[in-house]
Amino acid sequence: MLSILIPVYNYNVVPLVLELHKQCLECEIDFEILCQDDGSNSDLNTINEIINSLENCSFFVNSNNLGRGKNRNDLAKKAKYEWILFMDCDTFPSANDFIQKYIFQINKDEKIIYGGIKYKKEKPNDDQLLRWFYGHARESLSAKIRKTKPNTNALVSNLLICKKNLISNMFDESITQYGYEDLVFLSDLKKKEIFAKHIENPVYHLGLETSRQFLDKTKIAIENLKLIAKNPGFNTNESKILRTHLFLKKLYLVPFISSLFKKTEAKIEQNLLSQKPSLLLFDLYKLGCFCQNN
């Protein structure tokens, strides 16, 4: 029936597995929960070993870092059931009927279902506000809004997919660092006219990075996007940054934007690291990063 796959990196995933395990048992379904740490060499792996003592649950540790795409693909190859639920290790179901809602969708023979992401209402520490504001505004969307762009507005952090569709459309293993692997994966499915169905079945995103860490990861993601954009098979319309960059390029404005960003980067970062980060400035920050040396 259901294989729940959870890529892990330096994170205590035991609470999540215990909750999923409990819900699966209550649903009386055939299931497995497979977790795989991607070579983090973390002390938390000692704690995560508890997972192996749970019925139908396994925790694996990669001796070397495979990368985000390859780690997911490796988990998918281990999965034995016809439906796969991908979850991130730093998420947690927002309801005690989370698994039951997905089982209901399986019985309706959907191909791919996305339940959504939520963020806690309580403000986090001051140094985590950028990720929290961004999550609330850009990721925590209702199913009604998400379905207007079904594949663009889905994330792999809470995604149910039929295994046969996954095996024929694996994650791009050339994307080893953080950023935009979801976009490429779901864009490829869109080409095959496989569209995500959106329902209200969210998970909380718990693992908030500091604003500084989020900015650093954003820069890595932008470098990923530059590589992705060079792929002739990728539709640049799938990314707002790529569409804007193409527009600026036609107007010969990319060098100007790049030069302006170099002069204002420190000032923009000052705002983004503050207690009132501007998401408009964050969008301009990403565009400026993309225009540099491009």
Side-chain angles (χ1 to χ4, degrees):
M1 165 70 79
L2 181 65
S3 295
I4 302 175
L5 309 183
I6 308 174
V8 182
Y9 192 87
N10 191 28
Y11 200 86
N12 178 5
V13 74
V14 173
L16 172 60
V17 172
L18 288 173
E19 176 63 23
L20 295 172
H21 186 261
K22 172 177 170 289
Q23 291 195 24
C24 286
L25 290 176
E26 290 173 348
C27 290
E28 298 182 341
I29 60 171
D30 293 326
F31 74 96
E32 63 179 354
I33 302 174
L34 308 181
C35 307
Q36 186 158 288
D37 180 89
D38 196 18
S40 71
N41 296 316
S42 170
D43 292 339
L44 293 173
N45 287 343
T46 303
I47 299 173
N48 289 330
E49 288 288 345
I50 296 170
I51 294 167
N52 290 318
S53 66
L54 297 173
E55 181 184 6
N56 303 327
C57 297
S58 299
F59 177 69
F60 307 100
V61 177
N62 297 334
S63 56
N64 299 307
N65 183 270
L66 300 180
R68 297 169 70 88
K70 192 170 183 179
N71 195 34
R72 285 196 176 106
N73 288 343
D74 196 53
L75 277 168
K77 291 172 184 175
K78 289 183 171 78
K80 63 181 180 181
Y81 291 116
E82 65 269 34
W83 284 93
I84 287 174
L85 174 59
F86 276 112
M87 296 184 68
D88 280 357
C89 62
D90 59 351
T91 60
F92 199 86
S94 64
N96 57 17
D97 61 348
F98 172 75
I99 294 297
Q100 183 60 60
K101 287 179 180 177
Y102 273 136
I103 298 304
F104 178 75
Q105 294 299 323
I106 287 175
N107 292 335
K108 293 175 69 175
D109 198 31
E110 299 290 346
K111 294 180 179 179
I112 176 172
I113 304 103
Y114 176 60
I117 295 288
K118 290 178 71 175
Y119 286 77
K120 297 287 187 178
K121 292 182 180 180
E122 300 80 17
K123 278 190 175 183
N125 297 331
D126 288 348
D127 65 349
Q128 296 175 313
L129 286 172
L130 177 60
R131 187 68 183 92
W132 184 77
F133 277 118
Y134 179 84
H136 270 289
R138 303 291 172 80
E139 295 176 344
S140 185
L141 306 175
S142 68
K144 182 178 180 180
I145 293 174
R146 285 186 266 118
K147 70 180 183 180
T148 59
K149 296 180 179 179
N151 286 33
T152 303
N153 288 333
L155 296 169
V156 184
S157 48
N158 180 20
L159 192 76
L160 180 71
I161 183 170
C162 180
K163 184 177 180 180
K164 65 180 181 181
N165 288 323
L166 174 61
I167 295 301
S168 63
N169 192 89
M170 301 292 266
F171 287 91
D172 186 342
E173 295 186 359
S174 68
I175 302 175
T176 58
Q177 299 294 319
Y178 168 85
Y180 296 102
E181 65 272 12
D182 296 35
L183 178 68
V184 174
F185 175 70
L186 290 156
S187 176
D188 287 343
L189 287 173
K190 181 180 177 180
K191 292 175 188 176
K192 298 178 181 178
E193 298 188 345
I194 300 174
F195 299 100
K197 177 179 179 179
H198 290 263
I199 65 172
E200 295 293 353
N201 194 26
V203 294
Y204 284 111
H205 179 203
L206 302 178
L208 295 182
E209 309 99 334
T210 66
S211 299
R212 179 73 265 171
Q213 289 170 334
F214 188 44
L215 282 184
D216 291 342
K217 289 177 71 173
T218 295
K219 289 181 179 180
I220 294 172
I222 292 299
E223 292 304 311
N224 267 355
L225 188 59
K226 289 179 182 180
L227 294 175
I228 292 167
K230 293 177 181 179
N231 186 339
F234 182 73
N235 184 357
T236 56
N237 286 326
E238 298 291 339
S239 165
K240 183 179 179 181
I241 292 177
L242 294 182
R243 293 196 304 271
T244 305
H245 178 262
L246 182 60
F247 176 74
L248 293 172
K249 192 173 183 179
K250 288 179 179 178
L251 297 177
Y252 302 98
L253 288 175
V254 172
F256 170 75
I257 298 298
S258 179
S259 176
L260 182 63
F261 177 68
K262 288 179 181 178
K263 296 176 182 178
T264 60
E265 181 179 2
K267 199 70 175 177
I268 294 175
E269 284 195 0
Q270 185 178 346
N271 169 271
L272 298 178
L273 297 174
S274 73
Q275 295 182 33
K276 294 183 179 180
S278 165
L279 293 185
L280 174 59
L281 286 179
F282 186 50
D283 289 340
L284 294 175
Y285 184 86
K286 291 189 288 184
L287 179 63
C289 287
F290 190 87
C291 287
Q292 285 190 317
N293 303 317
N294 199 40

